[in-house]
Amino acid sequence: MSRGKHPVPLDLPLPQHCDEAPGKQDSAYSALRQAILEKRLPAGCRLPSTRTLAQRWGLSRGTLEVVFDRLRSEGYVSRASGSGTRVCAVVPDLYLSAPARAAAPIVSESEPPYPPLSVRAGQPFVARLADPALFPLQRWTRSLTRALGNASAQSLWDADPGGLPALRQQIAQYLGQHRGIACEPQQVMITTGIRHGLDLLARSLLQAGDKVCLEDPGYLSARSLFALAGARLVPIPVEEDGIDVQQLQHHQDARMVYVTPAHQAPLGMTMPVSRRLALLEWARHSEAWVVEDDYDSEFNYQSAPLAALKSLDRDDRVIYCGSFNKTLFAGLRVGFMLLPERLRPRLLATLQDTGRSVGVIEQLALADYIASGAFLRNLRAARQAYQERRDLLLAILASEAPGCYSISGQQAGLHLLLTLPPGSDEARFRQRAAQQGLLLQGLAEHCQQVRRPAAVIVGYAALSLAQIRFSGSRLAALLVAEAGPVEGR
């Protein structure tokens, strides 16, 4: 009997195997894998030693060591000195693969081949959000407890519509220290996230027919929210350095422009200072508002990120949007906007008309969490983890599919852009990937007028290292097949 919850199972049947070494390995691997999938070897169970199994199954210990290493690399078991080999809590084939689905129906060219995919943790490769497993729940519980213990009765019902002063104070200090923005707490408005902020801006500042300029390719939800407000959307091409400001010169009557300068969504480049200054100059002459979506600037893997576009704003034309949903966990539903003074009354009126959405307790707890230093510690740990996952994915692709792709946007953020081999059909590649359990967003659906080479968006932040090894190899194999035979490879 093992010292854990489960007895060591010695009655595992070994399927018939041939005498050749590969056949013996495959048979032993299949027997153990099937026992794990069928829960005959439950989570946490310690496997028999390789010596015990070798005697029972008539195999060499070397063969079983190879089998155990294969199971470990694919995430079925974990091996630690002194505690043996144990079954992991999550069954990889159920966790790593997409649910089985019927063959995709044939669609006409006028219809998008896929509905928009929602990001979510654990699903290769749409996992473009904070990994909830990294969030320190015990530390968050302490902040919640303190928030409840220190809350006054008045703070529970007479909340400022723009957000609790304690949280706005912490956000203003954070923006000043880490995003280069000199601001006051009264400029901050609490939202449920960036999309909530964009919706408030659209409702408050736009009338039917107002011209709004958007990056092309760009963020799908921004396009949808501004369209719902009746805005006339104008796609502006994105160049190597970001949105084409020369094209903006033809739209001096625009009411607003929406940009993602820190890590362009979805291409991933960072807008340089010269382009930022040109954009602000256009906004000043056009008397237009610039909406800066700073959705993942906290995660930069090569150097300190550039200060926010808002830090260069001398005419108070930039509306800065940020969110804790991308830095802590998606279900938190707390974001914020930094508003020009002349817009604050209008946005507050809209917020009160539509109903305040962020709970008082969450705001109090988050204010405590930031003030204690836990937020910055969590950011540092998450940045290190996401960089490790990115590096592993890049190493797998470089090793197993050299010359079959190109990468951009990998220097920062929670995703990168993978450009497919020349001549690739983006939709067909995504379909083949889905059959392998890999969900990929295509670049084409983010484009309005521009046409770019076939590419897919690869999210890696909310995947385990085992998932990245498993799914990264599958993605590499798909790229090799897509590229076809290449001399010398």
Side-chain angles (χ1 to χ4, degrees), residues 307-321:
L309 174 66
K310 179 65 179 175
S311 68
L312 302 172
D313 181 22
R314 300 294 176 261
D315 298 298
D316 211 17
R317 308 288 325 171
V318 176
I319 304 165
Y320 179 91
C321 300

Side-chain angles (χ1 to χ4, degrees), residues 119 125-131 134 263-264 266 268 295-301 323-330 379 382-383 385-387 389-390 393 408-417 457-463 468:
V119 297
F125 279 103
V126 293
R128 302 194 309 276
L129 40 70
D131 184 354
L134 297 178
H263 189 234
Q264 201 276 333
Y295 66 101
D296 67 358
S297 64
E298 290 84 359
F299 303 111
N300 194 292
Y301 309 121
S323 174
F324 294 100
N325 305 326
K326 284 285 190 183
T327 52
L328 295 178
F329 60 97
L379 274 186
R383 188 182 299 118
Y386 301 156
Q387 181 172 356
R389 295 169 192 187
R390 181 208 64 168
L393 176 61
S408 62
Q410 74 274 24
Q411 80 284 353
L414 307 177
H415 77 272
L416 52 83
L417 188 74
I457 300 164
V458 178
Y460 52 82
L463 300 175
I468 290 175

Side-chain angles (χ1 to χ4, degrees), residues 8 40 189 246 250 252 277 295 330 399:
V8 176
R40 288 185 283 120
M189 174 181 288
Q246 290 299 319
H250 302 299
Q252 298 286 342
L277 293 173
Y295 66 101
S399 172

